[in-house]
Amino acid sequence: MTRQSSQAVVRAARTAFIDTVDGLTDAEFNDGPTLCAGWSPRDVLAHLMGTAEVGPYLRAPWRLHRINEEFVAAGRRRDRAALIAAARQWAELPKPVDRAICRLLLGDVAMHHQDVLRGLGRSRVLDPVEEAAIFFEGVSLTVQKAQPTLFKYRVEPTNGIGRALGRGIRVRGTAEALGLWLGGRDVTDVEFDR
């Protein structure tokens, strides 16, 4: 995938996520459940927009959760219209660093889109590129958190997206479900061999 096509995919994924949260009722937007414990759709949006500010993450990667919470708190202080307007600008990849690392952030956007939809009991047809990014994001999260998940489990995507990884107890599901599960989400559509 070329750099320009990667940027187009990420723009489309970000725009789709914003369209989803913009279409929610005020109650869903502000207080709706997501698969991210303690975060509403508004909070997830603020977090994602914050990832474009790579400086705090690079300066203090050990403060990852605190930095995320700071972006979420800042998002809570903005009214909905202003937050959505800023998000639409964010979707266009306005910063050079954002454009440079956008492919790395695709999994984060796609995974959090599913966090919001699944939390609200909704679904969408996933683009295979986004689904593969969710799977990769889940694998990356286990590595970043130094979790031994892939030593204990062998994850096997059943829909032809991604390849089997790890060893141990077999866990099967779509690449999306496995990525969410690897990312620590409580999903029920993965199957374990016992």
Side-chain angles (χ1 to χ4, degrees), residues 3 10 18 20 39 46 48 65 84 94 108 111 128 132-133 147 151-152 163 172 179 189-190 192:
R3 186 177 198 170
V10 173
I18 296 163
T20 292
W39 283 4
L48 285 173
H65 295 296
I84 293 293
D108 199 30
M111 182 176 280
Q147 294 174 333
F151 293 109
K152 190 174 178 182
R163 62 183 179 84
R172 291 188 208 86
D189 50 338
V190 292
F192 294 82

Side-chain angles (χ1 to χ4, degrees), residues 8 43 51 88 117 123 131 136 141 146-147 167:
D43 298 333
T51 62
R88 297 242 180 245
L117 288 170
S123 64
E131 186 165 2
F136 180 75
L141 287 170
Q147 294 174 333
R167 58 179 182 230

Side-chain angles (χ1 to χ4, degrees), residues 97-174:
V97 70
D98 205 23
R99 289 191 296 276
I101 65 171
C102 70
R103 180 79 194 248
L104 294 173
L105 298 176
L106 176 60
D108 199 30
V109 172
M111 182 176 280
H112 282 309
H113 196 164
Q114 295 307 106
D115 289 335
V116 169
L117 288 170
R118 281 174 169 248
L120 293 168
R122 299 180 187 163
S123 64
R124 68 180 173 127
V125 175
L126 262 172
D127 179 287
V129 172
E130 283 189 65
E131 186 165 2
I134 292 169
F135 183 64
F136 180 75
E137 180 76 6
V139 171
S140 296
L141 287 170
T142 65
V143 172
Q144 289 170 21
K145 295 175 182 177
Q147 294 174 333
T149 309
L150 293 175
F151 293 109
K152 190 174 178 182
Y153 298 99
R154 177 176 174 78
V155 293
E156 298 180 354
T158 56
N159 59 339
I161 296 175
R163 62 183 179 84
L165 297 170
R167 58 179 182 230
I169 299 168
R170 290 194 319 173
V171 183
R172 291 188 208 86
T174 64

Side-chain angles (χ1 to χ4, degrees), residues 36-40 43 46-47 50 57 63-77:
C36 300
W39 283 4
S40 69
D43 298 333
H47 156 67
Y57 294 104
R63 294 183 63 234
L64 179 72
H65 295 296
R66 179 107 184 224
I67 294 165
N68 287 340
E69 287 299 334
E70 289 168 4
F71 285 124
V72 167
R76 288 177 183 157
R77 291 189 293 270

